[in-house]
Amino acid sequence: MGQLDGRTAVVTGGSKGIGLATARRFAAEGAYVFITGRSKPELDAAVDSIGAATGIPGDVSDPADLDRLFEAVRQAGRTVDVLFANAGGGAIAALGTVTEQQIDYTLGLNVRGTLLTVQKALPLLNDGASVILTGSSAAVAGAEGLGVYAASKAAVRSLARTWANELRGRGIRVNTVAPGPIDTPGVETMAAETGQALHDLRAYQAGRIPLGRMGRADEVAGTVLFLASDASTFITGTEIYVDGGENQI
């Protein structure tokens, strides 16, 4: 018997990285999963690897795409037990060089996109549902070049606190998972944007971690599963770091 038998989960940004690892874990535990992604080929491949899943192409910063996502859930005759608002990203730029476009992109994706995702899911969320947001250890690390990204993830953490309070009457729990350096395709993107060799970037990231390595997407997925399951029914409004001790020791 799986921890999510008979439940319906929605995972944004579910075509790769942490989102894909989590969607696979949800399905393995008995859930039917709806995932989003901006790349149709990646999304199709992800659905094939998950099994019990439907892929809806879209960008969470576009309200029309979110409407299509939740309409697909509704048309399938389902309501939502677990919402993992995971899609995110952002530009890397220091204070002196960050552009208005980079600010708008990062805040639009991480803050506006997360807010609209949860807002548009509300009519379909079952009482007692679990909502999990993706934060980041960057929100407290003060890493150079990540000021806007870190601020956007701090905003996500703040939203989780407010929503946990606003939705308590329906028994809906809202929590945040804050990954540290995780070895996902995003690391390759960061290396390309910063001009670093991928090997050097991975070594630098691992050197900051007390456990001496970068994390894996499935390790974050395990924490998200915990927050989605009945094992965490007395946990809401909190943030769980999955950072190998980076910001804890």
Side-chain angles (χ1 to χ4, degrees):
M1 182 175 177
Q3 296 183 65
L4 301 179
D5 276 350
R7 302 184 194 183
T8 300
V10 172
V11 178
T12 63
S15 61
K16 58 185 176 182
I18 292 170
L20 177 56
T22 301
R24 286 172 175 161
R25 192 70 181 273
F26 283 174
E29 292 291 339
Y32 190 88
V33 188
F34 290 82
I35 65 170
T36 70
R38 287 181 287 186
S39 166
K40 184 67 162 55
E42 283 184 351
L43 193 64
D44 290 342
V47 168
D48 288 343
S49 74
I50 296 165
T54 295
I56 309 296
D59 183 337
V60 297
S61 63
D62 185 336
D65 285 354
L66 289 171
D67 287 338
R68 287 194 304 107
L69 164 64
F70 292 113
E71 182 58 26
V73 177
R74 186 179 293 105
Q75 288 294 322
R78 294 178 178 270
T79 51
V80 179
D81 301 291
V82 180
L83 173 63
F84 183 29
N86 166 71
I92 300 172
L95 173 61
T97 60
V98 66
T99 65
E100 292 182 22
Q101 290 77 16
Q102 289 172 321
I103 295 169
D104 290 344
Y105 169 70
T106 304
L107 296 180
L109 185 57
N110 295 340
V111 182
R112 184 172 181 269
T114 298
L115 190 155
L116 290 176
T117 297
V118 179
Q119 183 187 65
K120 290 179 178 293
L122 280 178
L124 288 172
L125 283 177
N126 292 320
D127 290 354
S130 176
V131 175
I132 304 110
L133 313 181
T134 296
S136 174
S137 65
V140 297
E144 294 180 15
L146 293 180
V148 176
Y149 175 80
S152 72
K153 290 300 186 178
V156 167
R157 173 67 180 101
S158 179
L159 289 172
R161 287 190 177 98
T162 302
W163 295 342
N165 195 34
E166 291 180 348
L167 299 176
R168 61 181 178 172
R170 295 181 56 192
I172 295 174
R173 299 179 295 111
V174 185
N175 292 291
T176 307
V177 61
I182 307 297
D183 199 353
T184 68
V187 178
E188 299 176 14
T189 301
M190 180 180 288
E193 290 181 355
T194 59
Q196 292 178 271
L198 183 58
H199 177 272
D200 291 342
L201 178 57
R202 283 180 169 142
Y204 168 74
Q205 297 280 22
R208 297 160 47 201
I209 308 300
L211 289 181
R213 63 175 177 84
M214 296 183 71
R216 302 187 308 272
D218 65 283
E219 291 176 310
V220 183
T223 301
V224 180
L225 173 62
F226 167 70
L227 291 172
S229 74
D230 292 342
S232 61
T233 50
F234 201 55
I235 299 176
T236 192
T238 196
E239 182 175 40
I240 299 180
Y241 282 83
V242 188
D243 66 353
E246 177 188 21
N247 292 291
Q248 318 306 319
I249 299 174

